[in-house]
Amino acid sequence: MMMGKVLKTLIMAASSASPASALIRDRKVPGRGTVRHCLVGTEMVDWLLGLSPEVHSRAQASAMWQVLLDEQVILALSKEHQFKDKFVFYRFHEDAEGRGDGPAGRKPGQDAVRDAQQKKDEVISTLTQLAPDAVLKAILRKPTHDRSPDDLEIIYEELVHIRALSHLSTTVKRELANIIVFESHPRAETVLFNQGDEGVSWYVILKGSVNVVIHGKGVVTTLQDGDDFGQLALINNAPRAATIITREDGCQFLRVDKDDFNRILRDVEANTVRLKEHGRDVLVLEKVSANPSAAHRHSASYTVMAGMPQKMLEHLLETRLDARHLSVRDEDIIRPYSSATDMFLDDFLLTHIMFMPTHQLITELMRNYRIESPTQDKEFVVASKSRVVNFVYQWVTSIRDPVFDETITHSFFEVLSLIKANNSAIHSAPTPLLYLSHSFAFASSSPWQRLKLGLLIIMYSRLSLDSTRLAHVPLLSILAALREYFRGIPVNATAETIKLNAADKLGLRHEELVLAEIKSNGEKSVIADTEVSIATCLSINGRIFVSPKDHLDAMTVLPDQEGPSDGTCNELEMFSTRELAYYITLIDWDLFCSVHEYELLYHVAGAQPFRKIKSNLDLFLRRFNEIQYWVVTEICLANTLGKRVQLLRKFIKLAAYCKEFQNLNAFFALVMGLSNVAVSRLTQTWERLPSKLRKMFTEFDGLIEPSRNHRAYRIAVGKLQPPILPFMPLLLKDMTFTHEGNRTLLDSAGLINFEKMHMLAQTMRTLRYCRSRQLLLQPPTPRSEQEVRNYIRNLRVIDNQRILTGLSQRLEPKRA
Ligand code: CMP
């Protein structure tokens, strides 16, 4: 204002001599009649050039006027922001106020003129300094198609010095120079955009700072000049994750609009995007080039590498749960090896229990569901709610039963079920939700039960999996026996509960008792009070004993733990091999389908922290061992060479059928049984085997060969289509390897290593993929169906390696 006053005084003083040619005078303006106290661009430039030898070009003089225009000391009649050295009209701000008798008309006094002359040099020098910046801004304000090569050079020079752009190549910066625009906001507290708005541009802060504000959290961070923001909505094609508000007057930004961003920046944006809240990293995204093919040039997307649990959920809801993101096909969910599809939602659902227990998840969902605010528009509130509902739908369909394990889930679902069909959240929701809302119609006692009922129908129509399959447990001999001992004790009972039960029956104090497993080889292990699912964790011929503490040493193996003393060779010979393989596979399939993906997590991270059981997995693994020992037991109990050769043939053929039925778990168990030292050392037996079978076995042995991380098996299984019964121990090995080789927490503040969660989920998805199609084997022509079924369900084996080796040595003593 001061500089404007000085210049105006000098103009007035000069023009008092010849008012008719004065710089400031009333002029006829086309379309507006006579406008008072006007100046013309070209004349203003002429005048400034004549004022001081410091001003040496028209461009420089224009730039100096530009400074005053930016500061609104002068105004363009056309309201344009760029000063033009043309026949364009300007006025001093104070003259534009509309007072005809204002200071404009008055001649400045002598004192004022003297004062202005004294300040002249200082004013010229200040304007000269500010001019380049003003020019840059003016160029940036020009319509992009009007930028001259010189303009582009000036912009490029500026971009080189901006921190947020430092990772970009020269070419990209030059491209940006063509399209980047200037945006300024004179007042503090200006909202640039709101959380939930559609993302239309990306910003870099040139001057000033902004607050990042999130619903329910307030200001989460402050960004300064050199920082950028607004990329998240563009790269994820999602609504704005935060509201941006200027913190001070005169904030200036560079802005790139969405189409340009996608064309120039999307694929070259920084590899890592880090979001902070209160100075801490809360979300780290990393770029993945989803599809390298030329057809999808703008296909780069970002995956979550790390994050705070709460922030990851927020990000998930914002970016993956809108109706338009939910067009996920079933194949995408179940296909384990395709990194092309975005797995963030599925990864989160499969692994959240590792870093965000269900009750915490529900609390957060509840918070996101209950966003109510008079300042946010209705659309935002409805969108937030419907995202939560979509999340719940995905959660229940993909995780099934465990979702309902905690009572807090029930009360939350009750809240959700109350939304009923007349709520707009339902109306605007995608089809699955309508399906869900249909289920509310079920006449049933409580809303959540109705909901569960509805959901269960969906669940069963997808994959028929649930833990009630544990009802099949007694199929297995050992459990039949255990059931007699512990009838009525649930599988998830702790060792302590079992002890209390026993103490009651025995009339002893439970503090004096120990619970121990005694294996068939005499090994004893005391079971800790907190352990759960004890029955299913036992070794094959292991037994649980309850005894007074001081009697532990005296406990010995029971005779029946040693296993059978006679083989079943004759019986086996009567069964068709195909029929045997068929029923083995049916049982395995049943057990396999009962294993929940979560059980793999419980297996690696320990079941106790989750207070959950992994009994289905235990049983499946037990069955593996059982089949393996069955092979060894039968061969070692066959006391003539002829019988042994027959059995060898039978088991190799059985393995071949299992392989054909894609039951790789039983296939491994059989081949490993045949490779057990007690069998493999029987050279006379193997010598008598027809060469065709021997070749077959060598091939099978190559398939189970563990070298190079089970490469042979992995290649073979990779070629199969579901249904597949995978070699479970390898999946567990993969899980353990991932779990032990990677930290879950990246810092003490609780930043989760989500990359690890993704790896764990990949293995868990394998499980889902393998059983994504029902097992529909052609049943064999029934010969002895009932006998085979009974036989297969009640395998009796010796699981003591010492006994087996002993038997083997007796059959074929070592040659001298
Ligand atoms: P976008 O979602 O497009 O709009 C809001 C922007 O705020 C977002 O992109 C980020 O660039 C920026 N931002 C900075 N910190 C955070 C944060 N902790 N959470 C969300 N957005 C953030």
Side-chain angles (χ1 to χ4, degrees), residues 193 214 221 229-233 240-242 244 275-277 311:
F193 54 73
I214 293 181
T221 192
F229 60 87
Q231 77 289 58
L232 213 54
R240 295 292 193 192
I244 303 288
L275 297 186
K276 287 182 189 288
E277 285 180 14
K311 187 70 185 179

Side-chain angles (χ1 to χ4, degrees), residues 641-642 645 648-649 683-691 694:
L641 188 58
V645 176
L648 219 48
R649 290 169 69 131
T683 21
Q684 294 164 35
T685 315
W686 285 96
E687 273 164 13
R688 295 269 301 271
L689 195 68
S691 67
R694 215 175 314 151

